[in-house]
């Protein structure tokens, strides 16, 4: 099978490259040791012998240089991966839709009176709701990107929109706004109130 052969050869090539990189790193380290010794060694007779197992100054300097080089390499790699993550995250948001509509149904409040009959029913799929038309008592079905039931707290809402927050932190333009009649819970959704699940 050509695909299996290609996969095997690729694995062997990766292993050889890893071994080669180790050899290169060791040669760089040895070269740094030799350079340091050559720069500091003016008279072998004047150097005091080191105890067994104690690394000389050249080896220590070479190790520091090796670690500094590794740190710089990892920092550059992290920066590159962070840029890739930002692009991929933004791409995912574009694929999911740059414009999304969420609906949050408000629970009954004491100011609403004693009635507990609700004309809005959130369906189990979390994306649909049914509204009873009071004129002829027939249900009207609507579908959105997300529908939050009355029991949903602020944490549920934030979890859904947190990707937009991440996009804003990554430097992309983002707009979140709430729309509805007076008393429908716009300010509460955007700012929150109290503690625990209802906090902002």
């Amino acid at each position: 099978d050509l695909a299996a052969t290609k996969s095997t050869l690729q694995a062997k090539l990766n292993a050889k490259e890893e071994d080669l990189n180790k050899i290169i790193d060791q040669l760089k380290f040895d070269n740094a040791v030799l350079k340091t010794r050559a720069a500091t060694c003016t008279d072998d007779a004047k150097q005091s012998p080191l105890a067994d197992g104690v690394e000389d100054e050249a080896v220590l300097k070479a190790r520091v240089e090796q670690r500094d080089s590794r740190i710089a390499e990892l920092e550059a790699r992290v920066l590159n991966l962070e840029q890739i993550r930002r692009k991929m995250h933004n791409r995912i948001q574009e694929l999911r839709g740059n414009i999304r509509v969420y609906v949050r149904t408000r629970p009954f409040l004491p100011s609403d009176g004693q009635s507990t009959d609700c004309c809005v029913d959130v369906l189990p799929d979390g994306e649909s709701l049914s509204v009873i038309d009071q004129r002829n008592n027939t249900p009207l079905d609507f579908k959105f990107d997300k529908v939050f039931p009355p029991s949903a707290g602020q944490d549920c809402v934030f979890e859904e929109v947190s990707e937009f927050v991440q996009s804003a932190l990554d430097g992309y333009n983002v707009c979140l706004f709430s729309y509805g009649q007076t008393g429908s819970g716009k300010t509460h959704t955007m700012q929150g109130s109290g503690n625990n699940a209802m906090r902002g």
Side-chain angles (χ1 to χ4, degrees):
D1 187 9
L2 183 60
T5 303
K6 181 180 178 181
S7 177
T8 302
L9 293 176
Q10 185 64 41
K12 291 181 179 179
L13 179 61
N14 292 337
K16 292 293 185 181
E17 288 181 351
E18 184 177 353
D19 293 339
L20 180 60
N21 289 332
K22 290 181 179 179
I23 294 174
I24 292 174
D25 290 340
Q26 184 61 41
L27 290 174
K28 288 181 178 179
F29 175 76
D30 294 339
N31 187 40
V33 172
L34 292 175
K35 285 183 177 180
T36 304
R37 285 178 176 170
T40 58
C41 182
T42 56
D43 188 0
D44 292 340
K46 294 181 180 180
Q47 291 185 354
S48 58
L50 296 173
D52 293 339
V54 178
E55 295 180 336
D56 61 12
E57 183 181 358
V59 175
L60 295 176
K61 285 186 177 180
R63 292 191 186 280
V64 171
E65 291 177 0
Q66 186 182 43
R67 283 174 174 77
D68 290 343
S69 176
R70 181 60 174 165
I71 290 173
E73 178 184 346
L74 292 175
E75 288 177 346
R77 184 179 179 186
V78 167
L79 181 61
N80 182 51
L81 293 176
E82 176 65 16
Q83 293 175 348
I84 294 175
R85 183 202 63 77
R86 291 183 180 184
K87 292 180 180 178
M88 295 301 295
H89 179 80
N90 188 59
R91 181 59 177 162
I92 291 173
Q93 301 313 305
E94 290 178 351
L95 293 174
R96 292 186 62 185
N98 283 332
I99 299 177
R100 303 180 206 171
V101 179
Y102 299 145
V103 174
R104 186 179 191 185
T105 55
R106 181 176 70 80
F108 280 103
L109 299 177
S111 59
D112 295 331
Q114 300 298 324
S115 176
T116 58
D117 295 332
C118 183
C119 63
V120 179
D121 184 24
V122 179
L123 302 182
D125 63 357
E127 297 179 351
S128 305
L129 59 80
S130 179
V131 179
I132 302 299
D133 188 347
Q134 300 292 339
R135 295 169 297 183
N136 49 23
N137 202 32
T138 57
L140 302 175
D141 297 329
F142 299 91
K143 190 174 181 65
F144 301 92
D145 292 294
K146 181 69 177 179
V147 177
F148 299 99
S151 59
Q154 295 289 87
D155 53 342
C156 298
V157 178
F158 179 77
E159 182 179 355
E160 190 66 31
V161 302
S162 60
E163 295 176 347
F164 295 111
V165 177
Q166 183 61 55
S167 294
L169 294 174
D170 289 343
Y172 294 96
N173 294 326
V174 174
C175 176
L176 294 175
F177 70 92
S178 56
Y179 178 82
Q181 67 185 44
T182 301
S184 60
K186 303 183 298 296
T187 303
H188 172 73
T189 297
M190 299 298 287
Q191 298 181 1
S193 62
N195 299 316
N196 300 327
M198 292 297 111
R199 70 183 187 277

